[in-house]
Amino acid sequence: MANLPLILVVEDDQLVQSVVEDCLSEGGYEAVIASSGENAVELLDAAQGKYRAIVTDINFETGVIDGWDVARHAREIDPNFPVVYMSGKDADDWASKGVPNSIMLAKPFAPAQLVTAVSQLLNVGTPSA
Amino acid sequence: MANLPLILVVEDDQLVQSVVEDCLSEGGYEAVIASSGENAVELLDAAQGKYRAIVTDINFETGVIDGWDVARHAREIDPNFPVVYMSGKDADDWASKGVPNSIMLAKPFAPAQLVTAVSQLLNVGTPSA
Amino acid sequence: MANLPLILVVEDDQLVQSVVEDCLSEGGYEAVIASSGENAVELLDAAQGKYRAIVTDINFETGVIDGWDVARHAREIDPNFPVVYMSGKDADDWASKGVPNSIMLAKPFAPAQLVTAVSQLLNVGTPSA
Amino acid sequence: MANLPLILVVEDDQLVQSVVEDCLSEGGYEAVIASSGENAVELLDAAQGKYRAIVTDINFETGVIDGWDVARHAREIDPNFPVVYMSGKDADDWASKGVPNSIMLAKPFAPAQLVTAVSQLLNVGTPSA
Amino acid sequence: MANLPLILVVEDDQLVQSVVEDCLSEGGYEAVIASSGENAVELLDAAQGKYRAIVTDINFETGVIDGWDVARHAREIDPNFPVVYMSGKDADDWASKGVPNSIMLAKPFAPAQLVTAVSQLLNVGTPSA
Amino acid sequence: MANLPLILVVEDDQLVQSVVEDCLSEGGYEAVIASSGENAVELLDAAQGKYRAIVTDINFETGVIDGWDVARHAREIDPNFPVVYMSGKDADDWASKGVPNSIMLAKPFAPAQLVTAVSQLLNVGTPSA
């Protein structure tokens, strides 16, 4: 079990970045940071399945691709891709803009909520080749 | 139990319309038909909660609003609105374009699947005032 | 498969009784009617496991035992007993007065909702000796 | 919606065969009958995805392949294959011998339980190409 | 994410209080302690939505309001309120006395069970305004 | 809460043993190690309900009883026994060889996945006497 599961974290606020990174790291995950929707899409396109889940904020300072778009892009590549959204004011849009079988963490949330959310989504369903 | 639960069915193919109407009617539901996305949005905006669920095709001959849009609109009005999609070739897009807690019926489906889908969604969760 | 699964229906309105009986019968269940909470408790106490599920209204004309009480009594006898409530004005109390893993059918409901509710609850979980 | 979803029914009792066939047909499914485990495995191997679900008894008069084996074989071909077991005396073995995400119908069951079981399993999860 | 999610903990045993407080705090939650059912009801009535979940013991040394009552009261205020019960000898009563969509932790339980229970309940369902 | 919940861990690789032991211990569980399928079956037969869950690897250096067999044996003793599998190359066999309501952790997995998996399974369902 040398490699830790890689989680793609899409967040442009450095403070939140480091909180999320710490939470995931304490749970035994390794975070890779994308700081915009555009950056996340690039990493996903080049990933060839190396990320096990995505944790994404909704709005970013730069670019036009938001977190809702990033999740849809991830699901076009892999329809079972685990998706966790983090949001403050946009949490209520989850029911209309989120993808199926995703989790919305409404800020403020506890670190344990994030780690449980990622773990729940990874623990559900059939592993596939 | 004089009134039957009303289900908004969004479908422009008359043959499918009548099949869906018959299925729902046999299950004890009453279908109201919208024949385009635009028509569905109008009915939802005027509905004041009178529909209990939506059953929608994805692509329509006329108009620019597709079934994915209709479902998002329904969820903006009520974040718990039960949504069932019906589709042939677009079924695979459900994971990226569908709303959370919805059901995709891939054509061809059995009438019982449709009635069970609507009933499952109506039977889940807390009734609210 | 000579015997049909017996469902205990607790309802004092004769019109609703016969609607529920017909729905269940069409789904292949056999309904036994109790017309008050007191009557239901008696039947449950004497049942020795012969009922497979309970479908109960909330308020009854006679007696002091309501549908919430009946369901709790059924669960004291068997903690896994499938419970379906039917209600109009009391549906909102389900979240505070219902038992875990039960289903509330808010009136008006479609016959298919009732049959699906009973079937879903019977189809879940481990059969036990 | 010309074609009905095909369901592979594995059952050697002709009476139960016809009851199951009628139930599925009334729900809008078309049953294909295999009358032994060996027969079912042959049909699955030749199927190339044409069956949408399997409904299987546990013990058969002839052959050495039982219903538990048939279900495992179906899941080796497609890890998401919907599986419904029907059984009388073997229902209690489901927790140790059944496959994940399957449903056990303990006899006697109502026709509606069978149709709901198949429909529930078909309505869950992501459609895939 | 300056504020931590507040969890109302209803427990009169000081040792258990401090264990629960430590678990929740390690998961990133902040516990507010009520030491009787009466005290919990007062805090809930004055809360105006400030608690995100309740974790409650069943029996208290003082007062007549037990943990089952506290949970029902919380659900009358908010039908979606996340509820976790902790109990030793009363765990078996959960099926008849618990509220829907709650979790019972049978003592002895691991700290991770408590944190996962609270996180699971917070992570489920639609965030609402 | 003096006693910690005991988890039976079936694993013959000493490195993985100690990683799993540490994860569980950090979550507040106590691990008991079996180093072969044969050893696990012996411990389960003598256990009289003292283990609350099993966490098992699939293949062992010695003996003929693999992890799939161990889980089936545990479920014959208690049909509700919580089961977590850990595997690298055999993860894809879960859909055909796993027991219902179990979780497969595909290696490499994060410690938080293991603790969440055990906690989720313990937190579901009715406690029983």
Side-chain angles (χ1 to χ4, degrees):
Chain A
M1 307 210 298
N3 331 37
L4 303 177
L6 283 186
I7 310 297
L8 181 59
V9 175
V10 197
E11 175 62 65
D12 58 358
D13 178 323
Q14 293 206 356
L15 190 62
V16 182
Q17 268 180 18
S18 83
V19 170
V20 169
E21 225 170 342
D22 287 359
C23 295
L24 289 175
S25 160
E26 205 164 310
Y29 296 101
E30 187 176 333
V32 172
I33 306 288
S35 52
S36 71
E38 276 73 8
N39 187 195
V41 165
E42 258 173 66
L43 290 173
L44 285 168
D45 284 342
Q48 303 192 281
K50 83 178 180 189
Y51 305 112
R52 299 277 297 277
I54 194 168
V55 175
T56 183
D57 193 0
I58 301 303
N59 293 305
F60 308 109
E61 293 280 314
T62 64
V64 298
I65 299 179
D66 64 18
W68 307 119
D69 297 324
V70 170
R72 285 184 201 124
H73 190 80
R75 286 289 181 84
E76 280 161 18
I77 298 173
D78 174 0
N80 295 309
F81 206 74
V83 171
V84 177
Y85 304 99
M86 308 176 290
S87 180
K89 63 182 172 51
D90 294 301
D92 290 345
D93 290 339
W94 177 76
S96 56
K97 296 187 177 163
V99 293
N101 303 320
S102 62
I103 291 176
M104 165 58 78
L105 298 176
K107 291 179 189 165
F109 55 83
Q113 275 181 268
L114 172 59
V115 174
T116 301
V118 171
S119 301
Q120 277 181 292
L121 292 175
L122 287 177
N123 287 353
V124 165
T126 306
S128 49
Chain B
M1 307 208 295
N3 331 35
L4 302 177
L6 283 186
I7 310 296
L8 181 59
V9 175
V10 197
E11 175 61 66
D12 57 359
D13 179 324
Q14 293 205 356
L15 190 64
V16 182
Q17 268 179 18
S18 83
V19 171
V20 169
E21 224 169 340
D22 287 358
C23 297
L24 290 175
S25 160
E26 206 164 307
Y29 295 102
E30 187 177 333
V32 173
I33 306 287
S35 53
S36 71
E38 277 73 8
N39 187 195
V41 164
E42 259 172 65
L43 290 173
L44 286 168
D45 285 342
Q48 302 192 281
K50 84 178 177 187
Y51 304 112
R52 298 277 296 277
I54 195 168
V55 174
T56 184
D57 193 1
I58 302 301
N59 293 305
F60 309 108
E61 293 281 313
T62 63
V64 298
I65 299 180
D66 64 18
W68 307 119
D69 297 325
V70 170
R72 285 183 200 123
H73 190 80
R75 285 289 180 81
E76 279 160 18
I77 297 173
D78 173 359
N80 295 310
F81 205 73
V83 171
V84 177
Y85 304 99
M86 309 176 290
S87 179
K89 61 181 173 53
D90 294 302
D92 290 345
D93 290 341
W94 176 75
S96 57
K97 297 188 177 164
V99 294
N101 302 320
S102 62
I103 291 177
M104 164 58 77
L105 298 176
K107 292 179 189 165
F109 55 83
Q113 275 181 268
L114 172 59
V115 174
T116 302
V118 171
S119 301
Q120 277 181 291
L121 292 175
L122 287 177
N123 288 352
V124 164
T126 305
S128 49
Chain C
M1 307 208 298
N3 331 36
L4 302 177
L6 284 186
I7 310 296
L8 181 59
V9 175
V10 197
E11 175 62 67
D12 56 359
D13 178 324
Q14 292 205 356
L15 189 64
V16 182
Q17 268 179 18
S18 83
V19 170
V20 168
E21 225 169 341
D22 286 359
C23 296
L24 290 175
S25 162
E26 205 164 309
Y29 295 101
E30 188 177 333
V32 172
I33 306 287
S35 53
S36 71
E38 276 73 8
N39 187 194
V41 165
E42 259 172 66
L43 290 173
L44 285 168
D45 284 343
Q48 303 192 282
K50 83 177 178 187
Y51 304 113
R52 298 278 296 277
I54 194 168
V55 174
T56 184
D57 192 2
I58 301 303
N59 293 306
F60 308 109
E61 292 280 313
T62 63
V64 299
I65 299 180
D66 63 19
W68 307 119
D69 297 325
V70 170
R72 283 182 202 125
H73 190 80
R75 287 288 180 83
E76 279 160 18
I77 297 172
D78 173 359
N80 296 309
F81 206 73
V83 172
V84 177
Y85 303 99
M86 308 175 291
S87 179
K89 61 181 174 50
D90 294 301
D92 290 344
D93 290 339
W94 177 76
S96 56
K97 296 186 177 165
V99 293
N101 303 320
S102 62
I103 291 177
M104 166 57 78
L105 298 176
K107 290 179 190 165
F109 55 83
Q113 274 181 268
L114 172 58
V115 174
T116 301
V118 171
S119 301
Q120 277 181 291
L121 292 175
L122 287 178
N123 288 352
V124 165
T126 305
S128 50
Chain D
M1 306 209 298
N3 331 36
L4 302 176
L6 283 185
I7 310 296
L8 182 59
V9 175
V10 198
E11 175 61 66
D12 57 359
D13 179 324
Q14 293 204 355
L15 190 64
V16 182
Q17 269 179 20
S18 83
V19 170
V20 168
E21 225 169 340
D22 287 358
C23 297
L24 289 175
S25 160
E26 205 164 308
Y29 296 101
E30 187 176 335
V32 172
I33 306 288
S35 53
S36 71
E38 278 72 10
N39 189 195
V41 164
E42 259 172 65
L43 290 173
L44 285 168
D45 284 343
Q48 304 192 280
K50 83 178 179 190
Y51 304 113
R52 299 277 296 276
I54 195 168
V55 175
T56 184
D57 192 0
I58 301 303
N59 293 305
F60 309 108
E61 293 280 312
T62 63
V64 299
I65 299 180
D66 64 18
W68 306 120
D69 297 325
V70 171
R72 284 182 201 125
H73 190 81
R75 285 291 179 81
E76 279 160 17
I77 297 172
D78 173 359
N80 296 309
F81 206 73
V83 171
V84 177
Y85 304 99
M86 308 176 290
S87 180
K89 61 181 173 53
D90 295 301
D92 290 344
D93 290 340
W94 176 76
S96 57
K97 297 187 176 164
V99 293
N101 303 320
S102 61
I103 291 177
M104 165 58 78
L105 298 176
K107 291 178 188 164
F109 55 84
Q113 275 181 269
L114 173 59
V115 175
T116 301
V118 171
S119 301
Q120 277 181 291
L121 292 175
L122 287 178
N123 288 351
V124 164
T126 305
S128 49
Chain E
M1 306 210 295
N3 331 36
L4 303 177
L6 283 186
I7 310 296
L8 181 59
V9 175
V10 196
E11 175 62 65
D12 58 358
D13 179 323
Q14 292 205 355
L15 190 62
V16 182
Q17 267 178 20
S18 83
V19 170
V20 169
E21 225 171 340
D22 287 358
C23 296
L24 289 175
S25 158
E26 205 164 309
Y29 296 102
E30 187 176 334
V32 171
I33 306 288
S35 52
S36 71
E38 277 73 8
N39 187 196
V41 165
E42 257 172 67
L43 289 173
L44 285 167
D45 284 342
Q48 304 192 279
K50 85 178 179 187
Y51 304 112
R52 299 277 297 276
I54 194 167
V55 174
T56 183
D57 193 0
I58 301 302
N59 293 305
F60 309 109
E61 294 281 311
T62 64
V64 298
I65 299 179
D66 64 18
W68 307 119
D69 297 325
V70 170
R72 285 184 200 124
H73 190 81
R75 285 289 181 83
E76 280 160 17
I77 297 173
D78 173 0
N80 295 309
F81 206 74
V83 171
V84 177
Y85 304 98
M86 309 176 290
S87 180
K89 62 183 172 53
D90 295 301
D92 289 344
D93 290 340
W94 176 76
S96 57
K97 297 188 176 162
V99 292
N101 302 321
S102 62
I103 291 175
M104 165 58 77
L105 298 176
K107 291 178 188 165
F109 56 82
Q113 275 181 268
L114 171 60
V115 174
T116 300
V118 171
S119 302
Q120 277 181 289
L121 292 174
L122 288 177
N123 288 352
V124 164
T126 306
S128 48
Chain F
M1 306 210 296
N3 330 35
L4 302 177
L6 282 186
I7 310 296
L8 181 59
V9 175
V10 197
E11 175 61 67
D12 57 358
D13 179 324
Q14 293 206 356
L15 190 62
V16 181
Q17 268 179 19
S18 83
V19 170
V20 169
E21 225 171 339
D22 287 357
C23 297
L24 289 174
S25 160
E26 206 163 309
Y29 296 102
E30 187 176 333
V32 172
I33 306 288
S35 52
S36 71
E38 278 73 8
N39 188 194
V41 165
E42 260 173 63
L43 290 173
L44 285 168
D45 284 342
Q48 305 193 280
K50 84 177 180 191
Y51 305 112
R52 298 277 296 276
I54 194 168
V55 175
T56 183
D57 193 359
I58 301 302
N59 293 304
F60 309 108
E61 294 279 313
T62 64
V64 300
I65 299 179
D66 63 18
W68 307 120
D69 298 324
V70 169
R72 286 185 199 122
H73 190 80
R75 285 290 179 83
E76 280 160 17
I77 298 172
D78 173 0
N80 296 308
F81 205 74
V83 171
V84 177
Y85 303 99
M86 308 176 290
S87 180
K89 63 183 170 53
D90 295 301
D92 289 344
D93 290 339
W94 176 76
S96 57
K97 298 187 175 163
V99 293
N101 303 320
S102 62
I103 290 176
M104 166 57 79
L105 298 176
K107 291 178 189 165
F109 56 82
Q113 275 181 268
L114 173 59
V115 174
T116 301
V118 171
S119 302
Q120 277 181 291
L121 292 174
L122 288 176
N123 288 352
V124 165
T126 306
S128 50

